[in-house]
Amino acid sequence: MNDRQDPYDPYAAQEQQLVGYDAYGRPVYGQAPAQPAQPAPQQYGQQYEQQQYGYDYQGYGQQPQQQQQQQYYPQQPAAQEYAQQEYTQAQGYGYDTQQTQQWIPQQTAPEPTEAPAAAERPAAQVPEPRRPDGEGGGARGEAHDDEPAADRDYRTEMFAFIDQPDEDSEDVIDWLKFTESRTERREEARRRGRNRVVALIVVLALFLVGGLGYLWYAGKLPFLDGPGDKKSGATADAGAQKRDMIVVHLHNTKKGGTSSALLVDNVTTKQGATVLLPNTLAITGQDGTATGLGKSVEDGGLGTREALDSVLGTHIGGTWRLDTPFLENLVELVGGIEVDTDTAVPADDAAKTPAVAQGQKQSLSGPMAVAYATFRGQGEPEAKQLERLGKVLQAVLRKVPSDPKTAAVTVESIGQILDPALNAQTLGALLSRLGAHAKVGAYRTDVLGVKADGALTDDANKTVVKEVLGGSGAAAQPGAAPRVGLKDATGDEKTQIAAKAALVNSGYTFVDGGKADKTAAGSQITYQDDAQRDRAIEVAKTLGLPETAVKKGENAVNADIVVTLGKDYKAS
């Protein structure tokens, strides 16, 4: 392909004289002025070779100097061959670096006379391309030293131009990079997956160990006994637990009568309980005389809470008076309740009491809940009616909102007049916590066992008072007079009254222990805490009993010191 700025016409070159070559090695023709004689081509080429290159470009071995001069200074190539060479360069093919070094056309000085005709010009001598060893039969130097340079016929098609496109190599590099990056991503994904599996296994192992540890500590594993399952420390642990409790007095405004219960929130163990209190429970009134719980509540309940603390060794936080109309409103506000009823309650048209069916998961409205909670069949013990009240209270707690503020609003909505020591916010917070325990089944209901004379049974003192209520002498304020329980084993009521008067007059807190199952010949004074031994000796002196009657042992009555009067006691 011809250059547009310097087009080349091979036929026009025949009519003009070669005047030289441009920077790209192309011939330049024109009218050349007369010039002085130039050195012979052989001498000029030899000088140029020595100055510029200094070695044989042919690379075929040692040759005579004259022969090298004839080989390496070829004449101007023909126009047709040069046009073919220029076209090859225009197609984007480069010369092979090795072949280019072999063929470097030299400029020949123009003749001082007129240029010979194109037909008389010698043909351009082109160096023979290198041949690989072994081809052409023999070594390179031997192949060319024997033949003269003039006899060699070089043609353009003998030169090959190597095309080395780099697009394929770039594609290969890109593909390798993509393969490596994808492999790295797969390895990273596998590594993350393994880490997640290991973390999951560790979490599950910790959860399993923690769960088994808790079950072991709580003593709930069938094959192992935890530290909390030992009876020797059960009482001490129960007494050290923190509890919040209130007393509830239900007043039946239609039929009369009252029913009482303690609502207990064990903050330490996160469990709730309802302890039902019989009306026959003997408590000491403000005047020091013994009275029943039911009569004390009906008389206004003044001092009833303090009397219960003395008998049970507890610390009751407040009193909740709940009349039956307010219980009915409370059940309606929580949306009704479900109770497993143990008996059918007939309807009472006069009292406008609806009938309640017997069965499991009976849906009760407000009036139905009141009718079932206050129902006591003919000839039934009081404990049966208290158990029905306990079912209704636990069902209501399950429906109380878990949010303390919402529960407080519910309490305020029923319009109940509360004890000044128990406001709506405090009661709402307690009910919400008890409701949370009831929802998960961490709730129990017990009836406090009472003897015919109103005293607590031994079983009630052990299982309910001490374990559920945490009642003990520790409930008394520091520095206060010890609580002294009195149990009569003389069989003489007058003797018991005299001993009681002596204890109250001496400043002791009296706890009525009732009558013993059988009479005893000698009196006995027991204490559980070593710190109460000196107090027990003082009690013996107060009653005129010998110091030998004082012993350390388990108290049958929930008090610091228990006196069991025998026939040896003589009232003064």
Side-chain angles (χ1 to χ4, degrees), residues 367-401:
M368 296 172 68
V370 170
Y372 182 76
T374 59
F375 178 75
R376 180 178 179 181
Q378 189 173 359
E380 285 185 341
E382 184 187 11
K384 286 291 185 180
Q385 182 265 322
L386 290 176
E387 290 176 356
R388 297 179 185 121
L389 173 61
K391 291 182 178 180
V392 171
L393 291 177
Q394 185 172 351
V396 171
L397 291 174
R398 284 197 296 263
K399 300 296 291 289
V400 171

Side-chain angles (χ1 to χ4, degrees), residues 482 527-537 552 560-561:
Y527 64 91
Q528 289 181 310
D529 191 358
D530 292 337
Q532 299 295 340
R533 184 178 184 278
D534 295 338
R535 293 290 185 92
I537 295 175
K552 182 178 181 179
D560 300 323
I561 301 170

Side-chain angles (χ1 to χ4, degrees), residues 104-125:
I104 301 178
Q106 305 295 334
Q107 298 182 2
T108 57
E111 296 291 337
T113 57
E114 294 182 0
E120 298 177 357
R121 295 175 188 157
Q125 296 183 1

